[in-house]
């Protein structure tokens, strides 16, 4: 799926140094600073998030990869299909439809790991899904693009950014591996690093959002149809990923993890592929879509985390309002999940202590004493 450089204009557009369309070309110094700072902060962030990964749980996900399999099905099954249906439903131009389809075929982005941490998701599953989807993209991206574009007449072939995929995989695996090692050797220090990483993640999100608005001057002047698709596309990914995880009987913690991972795509990989595959004239019609998708992707993630945190605070307030007789008993019990965005139950390895018989205790209670809580 490499682009055909039969003309001089095509070759200049497919080169990595090709100019961006008008209104999207950032100043050289600002782009360099943004790239360096983002790369350094992303490496530190993935290192800190790696400190939350436990070797035993990670090995359990790799040994019994049911959660990873569901995540890959969402990533390379639901998302490309959703992109294809949206392109047909909105009657997009072929060039615009390709941009939407490329976004749907991209692997998961590392920003999903940040939102998963803030939403108390399964970090071992999140990092495993991001890594596995990046590796699987080497074969699944060309396959999905071929299956969904064989009926479309394209003037140029699509170029898969294999080098970008490899760099992403290295930048993800190495910091996470160091973080896992630190958590294994120094678990107390890893908790401090994890708290610092949460602050770095917030700063990184703010930096990416502000820089994206500055670098893309014509962001809101793009096609209204593409803006609408970029708004509903990640929402569909989050909902579809959650429902599929729920149907496959995953835990609540894994359900929200898979949901976040499904809706969060690798924006940089999509932009790189568009630059390598299309001319400057075509980029004018499609380049704003991945930027808009990235903006609404961040917005959706923030809203999901805010809703989850609000629900958790509500549960804590309910726990404080319980009668005194229930307080002592509730300390010995782990609160079970009853909704979509609640804590997962403990693993089977963490077994509770033996329970005491109930009938002798009730026999010794005075008649006026209220019955113990359930």
């Amino acid at each position: 799926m490499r682009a055909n450089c039969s003309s001089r204009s095509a070759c200049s557009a497919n080169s990595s140094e090709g100019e961006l369309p008008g209104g999207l070309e950032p100043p050289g110094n600002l782009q360099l600073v943004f790239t360096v700072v983002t790369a350094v902060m992303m490496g530190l962030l993935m290192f800190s998030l790696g400190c939350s990964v436990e070797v035993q749980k990670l090995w359990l996900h790799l040994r019994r990869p049911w959660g990873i399999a569901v995540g890959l099905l969402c990533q390379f099954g639901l998302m490309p299909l959703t992109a294809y249906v949206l392109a047909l439903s909105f009657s997009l131009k072929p060039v615009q439809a390709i941009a939407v389809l490329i976004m749907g075929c991209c692997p998961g982005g590392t920003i999903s790991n940040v939102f998963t941490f803030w939403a108390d998701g399964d970090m071992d599953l999140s990092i495993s899904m991001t890594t596995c989807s990046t590796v699987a993209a080497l074969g699944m991206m060309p396959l999905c693009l071929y299956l969904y574009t064989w009926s479309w007449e394209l003037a140029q072939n699509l170029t898969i950014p294999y080098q970008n995929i490899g760099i992403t995989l290295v930048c993800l695996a190495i910091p996470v591996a160091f973080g896992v090692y630190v958590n294994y050797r120094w678990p107390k220090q890893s908790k401090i690093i994890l708290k610092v990483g949460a602050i770095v993640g917030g700063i990184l999100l703010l930096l990416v959002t502000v820089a994206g608005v500055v670098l893309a001057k014509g962001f809101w002047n793009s096609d209204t149809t593409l803006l609408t698709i970029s708004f509903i596309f990640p929402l569909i990914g989050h909902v579809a990923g959650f429902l599929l995880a729920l149907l496959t009987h995953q835990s609540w913690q894994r359900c929200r993890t898979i949901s976040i991972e499904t809706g969060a795509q690798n924006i940089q990989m999509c932009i790189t592929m568009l630059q390598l595959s299309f001319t400057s004239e075509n980029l004018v019609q499609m380049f704003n879509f991945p930027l808009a998708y990235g903006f609404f992707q961040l917005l959706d993630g923030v809203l999901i985390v805010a809703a989850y945190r609000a629900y958790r605070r509500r549960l804590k307030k309910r726990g404080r309002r319980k009668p005194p007789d229930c307080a002592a008993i509730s300390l010995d019990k782990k609160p079970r999940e009853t909704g979509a965005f609640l804590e997962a139950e403990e693993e089977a390895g963490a077994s509770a202590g033996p329970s005491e018989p109930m009938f002798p205790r009730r026999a010794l209670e005075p008649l006026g004493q209220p019955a113990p809580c359930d």
Side-chain angles (χ1 to χ4, degrees):
M1 277 194 175
R2 297 195 60 84
N4 183 11
C5 292
S6 58
S7 63
R8 184 177 302 177
S9 59
C11 292
S12 62
N14 293 337
S15 63
S16 59
E17 298 177 358
E19 296 182 356
L20 300 181
L24 295 175
E25 185 175 1
N29 295 333
L30 180 60
Q31 184 184 21
L32 178 61
V33 172
F34 172 72
T35 303
V36 173
V37 173
T38 304
V40 173
M41 294 186 66
M42 185 61 70
L44 294 176
L45 175 62
M46 297 311 299
F47 167 72
S48 62
L49 293 179
C51 293
S52 65
V53 177
E54 299 181 10
V55 178
Q56 295 180 352
K57 293 183 178 180
L58 183 61
W59 172 248
L60 181 62
H61 283 298
L62 297 177
R63 185 179 178 182
R64 303 180 61 183
W66 302 117
I68 298 177
V70 174
L72 291 178
L73 178 60
C74 295
Q75 195 72 59
F76 297 107
L78 292 179
M79 292 301 283
L81 179 61
T82 302
Y84 183 75
V85 172
L86 288 175
L88 295 181
S89 301
F90 285 87
S91 301
L92 295 179
K93 301 176 182 178
V95 175
Q96 296 175 337
I98 288 298
V100 176
L101 186 60
I102 290 175
M103 177 61 68
C105 296
C106 286
T110 54
I111 203 67
S112 61
N113 306 127
V114 182
F115 288 130
T116 300
F117 173 74
W118 287 346
D120 294 336
D122 192 337
M123 287 302 302
D124 306 275
L125 177 61
S126 178
I127 294 178
S128 301
M129 282 183 58
T130 304
T131 306
C132 292
S133 65
T134 304
V135 175
L138 295 172
M140 292 304 299
M141 280 189 70
L143 177 61
C144 292
L145 290 173
Y146 174 77
L147 292 177
Y148 287 104
T149 61
W150 70 270
S151 60
W152 296 350
E153 295 181 1
L154 299 179
Q156 290 175 315
N157 294 326
L158 301 178
T159 302
I160 306 298
Y162 293 107
Q163 183 178 2
N164 186 270
I165 295 176
I167 294 175
T168 302
L169 185 60
V170 171
C171 294
L172 172 66
I174 294 179
V176 170
F178 277 107
V180 173
Y181 179 76
V182 170
N183 187 30
Y184 178 76
R185 291 295 302 272
W186 304 283
K188 294 182 179 180
Q189 289 78 358
S190 63
K191 295 181 179 180
I192 301 176
I193 298 175
L194 192 58
K195 293 180 180 180
V196 176
I199 300 176
V200 173
I203 297 175
L204 180 62
L205 290 179
L206 181 62
L207 177 64
V208 170
T209 304
V210 174
V213 175
V214 172
L215 297 180
K217 299 178 182 179
F219 176 73
W220 298 109
N221 297 328
S222 59
D223 191 354
T224 306
T225 304
L226 286 180
L227 284 178
T228 304
I229 295 176
S230 63
F231 172 71
I232 65 177
F233 195 2
L235 287 177
I236 295 175
H238 291 310
V239 175
F242 182 84
L243 292 178
L244 183 59
L246 191 63
L247 291 175
T248 54
H249 304 288
Q250 301 295 318
S251 65
W252 294 111
Q253 189 182 29
R254 290 188 179 185
C255 284
R256 59 178 178 267
T257 301
I258 295 174
S259 173
I260 295 174
E261 288 285 339
T262 303
Q265 300 293 90
N266 195 321
I267 307 299
Q268 183 62 38
M269 192 172 298
C270 178
I271 294 176
T272 302
M273 187 170 180
L274 292 177
Q275 289 180 276
L276 293 175
S277 302
F278 296 94
T279 62
S280 299
E281 297 178 358
N282 291 329
L283 287 178
V284 175
Q285 306 179 45
M286 63 173 61
F287 205 84
N288 279 331
F289 173 75
L291 299 178
Y293 187 98
F295 175 80
F296 289 117
Q297 172 179 282
L298 291 175
L299 181 61
D300 292 342
V302 171
L303 292 178
I304 291 174
V305 173
Y308 171 76
R309 292 296 178 180
Y311 197 87
R312 291 297 300 168
R313 286 194 297 267
R314 186 179 179 182
L315 286 182
K316 290 182 179 180
K317 290 181 180 179
R318 287 184 179 180
R320 293 173 184 174
R321 295 176 183 175
K322 287 184 178 181
D325 297 327
C326 301
I329 299 177
S330 61
L331 292 175
D332 297 331
K333 289 187 177 183
K334 186 76 174 181
R336 298 184 61 185
E337 292 182 329
T338 56
F341 293 90
L342 298 178
E343 286 294 329
E345 295 182 357
E346 294 181 351
E347 298 291 338
S351 58
S355 59
E356 299 180 359
M358 298 299 297
F359 293 102
R361 289 180 58 187
R362 293 193 177 185
L364 296 176
E365 290 175 355
L367 297 177
Q369 194 75 9
C373 303
D374 294 333

